[in-house]
Structures are given as C-alpha cells and as structure tokens.
Amino acid sequence: MGGRRYAELVHAAALPPDLVLPLHEAVLVHINALSNESVKGFLAAQLRSEGERKRARRALVERLLETPWGGRRPPLAALTSLAGPAGWALPRTVAVALVRPGGRAGGRAGGRAGGRLSVPGTDDDLLVSHRGNDAVVIVPEPDTSGLVERLRLAVHARAAALGPAVGLREAWLSLQCARLALDHRAKDEHGLFVRAEDELAELHLLRGAPIGRLLDRRALAAFAGLPRGRATRLAETLEALPASWGRTAPEVAQALGIHPQTARQRLRRLDALFGDRLSDSDFRFEALLALRTRALSPEPNRAEPRAAPQGSHPAHGVVSGT
C-alpha cells in the first residue's frame, strides 16, 4: 500500500525521472529507520516493564520478611499493592527456605553448587531473593502446591532448610526457623535439606541459647568443679528424672538403659548435690531447659562451668565413680 501511494504521489507531482530514484531510496531509508526505532522502543518498554516487575518482586520479598516491631505486622493492603506489579498472587500460607552454597553450610560458593539458584518448572510461582551467597525462597501454599519437592530437587549439593508453613504475614518467622535450623548444622554438610518444622522444640531453645547458658550456670552450678565425665553422667540422670514420676531407681534405670544399682548410686549423688531442690518443680523445669540447651550447644563454644555461687553447697565428700 505504501509503495502504491508513493507511485501515485510521484505521478501527480510530475517529477522528473532524475529525482524519482533518489527520492525512492530516501523514502525506503526513512521507513527502515522508523521500523528500527519502533523495535527499539518496544524492547525498551519491555525491559522497563520487566525491570519494574523485578523491582516489585524484590520489594514484596523485603516487605514479607520484615521482622515486626511491637507485634506490628505488614498490612494486607500493602502486600496486595506490591503483589499486583510483581505478578504474584497472594497465597494463604507460605514457607520460606534458606539455601546456601555447597561445601560449607555457611561458607562461600564452591564448584557447581555455587551461583544463583534456579528451580526449573516453577515459572514465577516462587519468590527468590539472593543475599550474598545465600538464596531466600518464598514458597506459596507449601503443603499443596508441589513446589517444595521441586525446590528440594533443585538444591543439589547445596545446604538448605525449609521453614514451617505459616500465614502470609508470618513469613519472617518461617525464615528465622530455617536460618536457625541451618546455622547449628556442621559447616561441611552439603546436599542437605532440613525441614525446620520437625525440630521446633530445639529451635526454640537455640533462639534463647544465651539465656539458656545463664540458666545453666545458675541451675547446674552444683556440677561445677566435678570431673567432666562424672558431671556428664549425673546431668544425664538428672534429665531423666522428669520422665520418672516416682524418681525410683528402676524407673531412672529403664529411662537411661543402665543397671538399677548404677541408677541408685547416681541418684544418691544428685541428692547430695541438689538436696531438696530435686523435689521443686520449678527447679526441675529450669534444670531440664538448661540441660536441653547444653545438649544443643557445640562443644567448643560451651561456656566453661563456673564455681558454685555462695550459698550453693555441692556434695559433701562425693567420691569418684559412676
């Protein structure tokens, strides 16, 4: 159509032949330039749109993972306003995974396990944010969407922990659980996929580990100064007491898998160390918390036992033995 219109204009203007050819070439160059600029404009607009979408997704991730102060949670309207431009439908529940490079659970990227995380077949369902070498992945509807299994397969030689499924405005808590679950693993573990939901009690204690160590020093001060092996065996016996309603030697022996006579010897030593406090439910609860926190603490970082404070009287004349 453009060529026909050009021929009509040339004929109507009665242009001389020596002008027609240069004019025709100029028109073609002009049309080609317009076409190129149109393509460039379309690509630029597409890139701008993709850039805005990526920025919206990053902003949505940051908002979802904000730690609330004073119990305040991000309003749903604020999340909705970001989800639209991000191209992400707000789910009812989410789980947050933390993925670290292989070779070291908390170290630098190494080999093929390094680089940016890619989860094939998930399209735009997952929200992924890279923070240094770590990848934070927000999984919508983790219990029903099938995305967790795809993520697990994509982890390969990396180390990963999946936080529990939570409401949308508790995504920060799911990430916190995933981080705790991964942080206390051995640094050289890889090919690891941990579900934090399976160890919430341990994570609760890990979160308060510094306070737990203070509790250890206070509640278990009577163990200070004892040989390490003996203190460990008595601590094991003390931890078994809450499970034995009558605190009888056979019950403790069964709980620990030891001979009843050995249990009797240990119980006598605990009585000498703690006295009436063994009958105090508050003390037994505190001791149990301290012992569980101690069990979760890495050996090199465990606080050295301190001398028993004034007013605390360890065993009188305790002799070496079981």
Side-chain angles (χ1 to χ4, degrees):
M1 181 178 290
R4 188 183 304 115
R5 181 58 179 161
Y6 168 73
E8 290 174 355
L9 290 173
V10 169
H11 179 73
L15 295 176
D18 58 340
L19 288 179
V20 172
L21 185 58
L23 181 61
H24 178 66
E25 291 177 348
V27 169
L28 291 179
V29 169
H30 180 64
I31 291 174
N32 186 58
L34 285 177
S35 176
N36 288 337
E37 290 302 315
S38 296
V39 171
K40 289 179 182 178
F42 173 77
L43 292 176
Q46 190 176 43
L47 287 173
R48 279 196 301 273
S49 176
E50 290 178 357
E52 291 170 0
R53 186 168 172 275
K54 288 180 180 178
R55 284 193 294 273
R57 289 175 80 87
R58 283 196 297 268
L60 179 57
V61 170
E62 294 303 317
R63 196 63 190 270
L64 282 169
L65 299 180
E66 277 182 350
T67 303
W69 295 101
R72 297 171 125 187
R73 299 178 182 178
L76 194 58
L79 298 176
T80 303
S81 66
L82 289 171
W88 197 69
L90 291 181
R92 187 179 60 85
T93 61
V94 295
V96 183
L98 183 65
V99 184
R100 287 178 177 161
R104 292 177 63 207
R108 298 180 181 276
R112 68 184 183 89
R116 298 177 78 81
L117 176 69
S118 176
V119 185
T122 58
D123 298 323
D124 297 322
D125 296 327
L126 301 177
L127 287 179
V128 182
S129 174
H130 288 87
R131 301 180 175 188
N133 289 326
D134 294 349
V136 175
V137 185
I138 299 180
V139 183
E141 308 296 356
D143 295 329
T144 57
S145 64
L147 294 171
V148 170
E149 180 61 16
R150 293 184 184 180
L151 175 62
R152 187 187 67 79
L153 293 174
V155 166
H156 296 306
R158 294 174 169 90
L162 179 72
V166 294
L168 194 61
R169 291 185 292 175
E170 290 185 328
W172 63 274
L173 183 57
S174 184
L175 174 60
Q176 188 176 90
C177 291
R179 181 174 286 114
L180 284 169
L182 209 52
D183 282 349
H184 87 287
R185 253 61 187 198
K187 297 300 182 186
D188 59 351
E189 288 191 60
H190 56 276
L192 180 73
F193 192 86
V194 179
R195 293 178 183 267
E197 192 168 25
D198 296 336
E199 47 191 58
L200 290 179
E202 289 86 350
L203 299 182
H204 175 66
L205 291 176
L206 284 168
R207 187 72 178 90
I211 298 175
R213 286 190 286 272
L214 292 177
L215 184 61
D216 184 320
R217 295 172 193 168
R218 190 189 72 159
L220 307 179
F223 289 153
L226 292 180
R228 180 180 291 271
R230 190 190 309 162
T232 299
R233 290 190 293 272
L234 291 176
E236 181 185 64
T237 307
L238 178 61
E239 188 173 2
L241 283 180
S244 55
W245 292 97
R247 289 177 50 202
T248 65
E251 286 179 326
V252 173
Q254 184 176 3
L256 296 177
I258 60 178
H259 193 277
Q261 183 59 32
T262 303
R264 288 188 188 92
Q265 293 173 359
R266 293 189 189 181
L267 287 173
R268 283 197 293 268
R269 292 192 177 99
L270 287 176
D271 281 331
L273 286 169
F274 295 101
D276 293 339
R277 286 192 295 166
L278 289 178
S279 300
D280 183 345
S281 59
D282 288 340
F283 167 75
R284 290 168 70 170
F285 176 70
E286 290 179 358
L288 183 59
L289 284 181
L291 289 164
R292 293 291 172 86
T293 303
R294 176 185 288 193
L296 291 169
S297 300
E299 192 71 24
N301 298 331
R302 186 176 295 172
E304 290 297 321
R306 296 188 175 185
Q310 292 184 353
S312 176
H313 303 287
H316 300 289
V318 174
V319 295
S320 59
T322 303

